[in-house]
Amino acid sequence: MSTHPKRFEILLVPAHVEDRGAASVADSAVRSAVVEATGRTGETGYPIYEGHGVMADIDPETRTVEALLVDGRELDYGLTALVRGPETDERTAGGSR
């Protein structure tokens, strides 16, 4: 049985936002999606998670986005993908362009 999380939340945040002030990361996101494990492995070797128009290969140990498609396209330059896990409110950056 896999010990990988069944779902993550991916937040797409503008990379230029340096000081959010009192705003949370979720409040700064231009898009978010809850993605669930598909049971497949991507070309990166990591599990594929999909949902709400987002498909991502996520390293479940480091919570790093290794590959990402948003509505079938690569992430736009200037956006960073952050992962929020199911157990904690922890966020990890990955996939910035």
Side-chain angles (χ1 to χ4, degrees):
M1 181 174 178
S2 174
T3 60
H4 300 313
K6 300 283 186 223
R7 81 174 47 135
F8 287 108
E9 181 178 17
I10 295 180
L11 303 169
L12 301 180
V13 180
H16 70 276
V17 177
E18 293 179 20
D19 180 14
R20 293 182 180 90
S24 70
V25 173
D27 289 340
S28 299
V30 295
R31 184 167 174 176
S32 67
V34 174
V35 293
E36 297 192 11
T38 64
R40 300 185 325 263
T41 301
E43 291 183 24
T44 62
Y46 294 104
I48 296 174
Y49 291 80
E50 287 186 78
H52 304 277
V54 174
M55 183 168 75
D57 293 11
I58 299 174
D59 178 346
E61 290 183 28
T62 64
R63 296 171 189 239
T64 301
V65 177
E66 299 292 341
L68 180 71
L69 293 176
V70 178
D71 297 329
R73 300 177 62 186
E74 291 185 11
L75 189 63
D76 289 337
Y77 285 99
L79 292 176
T80 299
L82 303 176
V83 174
R84 184 164 35 190
E87 303 88 27
T88 66
D89 201 26
E90 178 182 327
R91 294 163 195 91
T92 305
S96 72
R97 295 205 146 222

